[in-house]
């Protein structure tokens, strides 16, 4: 039995030998001690062993089947497949904080196991057995749960990558003989394994394991802008007592929960002229439909619907303006035999402008330069980023915002004269909003800033119901050039926000 000795009695060489065995939670304060997790893995290991081995068998069977019948091979199968009785041990765990919708875990894993893995190869009349023994693995994986979604188990994918080359040590015996004793073979096998593992899984490359069906958690991104010009309507129904109507038009795209766009109200007019323009965000031009509804405005009570129509976006050619003169219907069933009443017509002009595939990039060149045969030619920012676009602002949350009288924070976004605000979250200094706002732009916001304020509002009646908790101005030039930024900002006029 070895005799324990205190560290101060050991010399430098002995201390250097034991340093790799000291757990990370001792050497690095970022790593936490997780004895509870090791106890959990130890209790679950007999069941994890069987589950993992079953996965290995199902994954390798089709691989082995490809070789059966070739090179005189009659069969390849496992005689024994067990990971042994010793579970892996986690020597420390670090949880990393990012600005993305993800959770990043970095455990330090060590496994000196006693697996019993015996593979049998039947070749002609010979039976060759290959056994894996004395397996040791030291590795530092990064496990990323992403994206975080409001559907149980609240993450869609597990991505596993390695922060460095793993240390893998094992023995291999064939027909009862240790082939790793052959001079030079052990080093060759070690280098080959490390090279192959590194080429597949060293960060930023990762093994992604889907957890949820992508269709259930996929969020469609905007792909273009629909330009709508409501021109006029003709021969509308008479709804008022005086034999006229006060029409206006509501328009929206199917599949969206955003508020409908509205034209102005034309008082006492059955043939109104609007010539008003609108922009709508398009996410799926193949399936989305523009919905047009004409209403008669009433000062009291509900507004009467005079008629409606639909225009599928798949009928539009990108960048080509098309005029539609549509007969208004009572409802969506245009073939209703009982609906004989003429409800008038509506005239609209539509143009779909998809986003360029290279939007948000500087055309692959630095500083806006593009190469020509005769030399270099400076291209202007307006030429590089020309065309309509979309500025998307996602307000994720705030930290350490504190008011003098109350803490019910909400955020207000100011840009180009538009003001948009998040919901208010009561009684917290660390609100999480995760609300997204869109600004449709004809030109890129070069040399412009967006202003964001964090406010607090008293829930009850008070003369001083609002408080300013901090603000920040964000320069949008980097957003235009990089396509996307995701950062934390210190709030001005705030203690620690």
């Amino acid at each position: 039995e070895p005799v324990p000795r205190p560290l101060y009695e050991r010399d430098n060489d002995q201390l250097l030998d034991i340093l790799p065995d000291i757990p990370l939670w001792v050497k690095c304060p970022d790593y936490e001690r997780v004895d509870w997790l090791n106890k959990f893995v130890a209790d679950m290991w007999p069941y994890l062993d069987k589950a993992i081995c079953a996965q290995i068998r199902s994954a390798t069977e089709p691989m082995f089947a490809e070789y059966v019948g070739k090179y005189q091979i009659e069969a390849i199968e496992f005689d024994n497949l067990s990971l042994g009785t010793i579970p892996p041990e986690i020597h420390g765990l670090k949880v990393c904080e990012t600005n993305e919708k993800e959770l990043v875990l970095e455990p330090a894993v060590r496994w000196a196991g006693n697996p019993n893995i015996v593979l049998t190869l039947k070749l002609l009349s010979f039976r060759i057995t290959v056994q894996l023994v004395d397996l040791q693995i030291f590795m530092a994986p990064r496990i990323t749960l992403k994206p975080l979604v409001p559907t149980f188990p609240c993450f869609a994918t597990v991505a596993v990558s390695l922060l460095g080359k793993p240390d893998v040590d094992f023995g291999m015996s064939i027909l009862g003989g240790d082939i790793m004793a052959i001079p030079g073979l052990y080093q060759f096998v070690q280098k080959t394994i490390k090279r192959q593992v590194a080429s597949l899984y060293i960060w930023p490359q990762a093994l992604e394991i889907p957890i949820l069906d992508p269709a259930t958690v996929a969020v469609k991104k905007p792909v273009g802008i629909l330009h709508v010009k409501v021109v006029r309507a003709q021969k509308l129904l008479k709804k008022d007592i005086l034999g006229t109507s006060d029409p206006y038009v509501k328009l929206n795209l199917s599949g969206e929960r955003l508020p409908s766009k509205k034209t102005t109200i034309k008082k006492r007019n059955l043939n109104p002229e609007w010539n008003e323009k609108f922009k709508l965000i398009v996410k799926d031009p193949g399936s989305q439909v523009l919905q047009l509804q004409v209403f008669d405005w009433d000062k009291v009570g509900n507004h009467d619907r005079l008629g409606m129509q639909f225009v599928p976006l798949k009928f539009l050619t990108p960048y080509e303006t098309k005029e539609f003169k549509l007969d208004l219907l009572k409802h969506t069933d245009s073939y209703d035999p009982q609906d004989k009443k003429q409800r008038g017509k509506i005239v609209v002009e539509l143009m779909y402008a998809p986003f360029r595939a290279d939007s948000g990039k500087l055309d692959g060149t630095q500083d806006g330069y593009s190469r020509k045969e005769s030399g270099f030619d400076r291209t202007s920012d307006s030429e590089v980023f020309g065309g309509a676009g979309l500025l998307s602002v996602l307000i994720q949350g705030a930290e350490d915002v504190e008011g003098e009288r109350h803490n019910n924070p909400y955020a207000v976004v100011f840009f180009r004269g538009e003001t948009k605000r998040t919901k208010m979250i009561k009684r917290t200094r660390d609100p999480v909003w995760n609300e997204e706002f869109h600004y449709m732009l004809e030109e890129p916001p070069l040399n412009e800033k967006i202003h964001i304020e964090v406010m607090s509002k008293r829930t009850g009646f008070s003369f001083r119901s609002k408080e300013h908790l901090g603000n920040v101005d964000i320069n949008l030039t980097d957003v235009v050039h990089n396509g996307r930024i995701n950062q934390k900002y210190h709030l001005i006029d705030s203690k620690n926000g």
Side-chain angles (χ1 to χ4, degrees), residues 223 316-322 350-357 387-388:
V223 296
L316 301 178
T317 302
Y319 305 111
E320 182 180 306
T321 301
K322 189 173 182 180
L350 307 179
M351 192 274 284
Y352 169 56
F355 298 141
R356 296 202 314 269

Side-chain angles (χ1 to χ4, degrees), residues 138-200:
F138 298 164
M139 62 180 179
R142 170 175 287 173
I143 302 172
T144 306
L145 312 179
K146 65 175 184 180
L148 300 180
V149 295
T151 304
F152 190 79
C154 299
F155 55 90
T157 306
V158 177
V160 182
S161 58
L162 299 176
L163 299 179
K165 291 183 179 181
D167 290 326
V168 181
D169 195 5
F170 61 91
M172 184 177 292
S173 63
I174 296 181
L175 297 173
D178 185 6
I179 65 168
M180 290 302 174
I182 300 175
L185 181 61
Y186 175 78
Q187 289 80 4
F188 173 76
V189 172
Q190 286 283 338
K191 289 182 179 179
T192 303
I193 291 176
K194 288 184 179 182
R195 190 183 304 114
Q196 290 298 319
V197 172
S199 66
L200 293 174

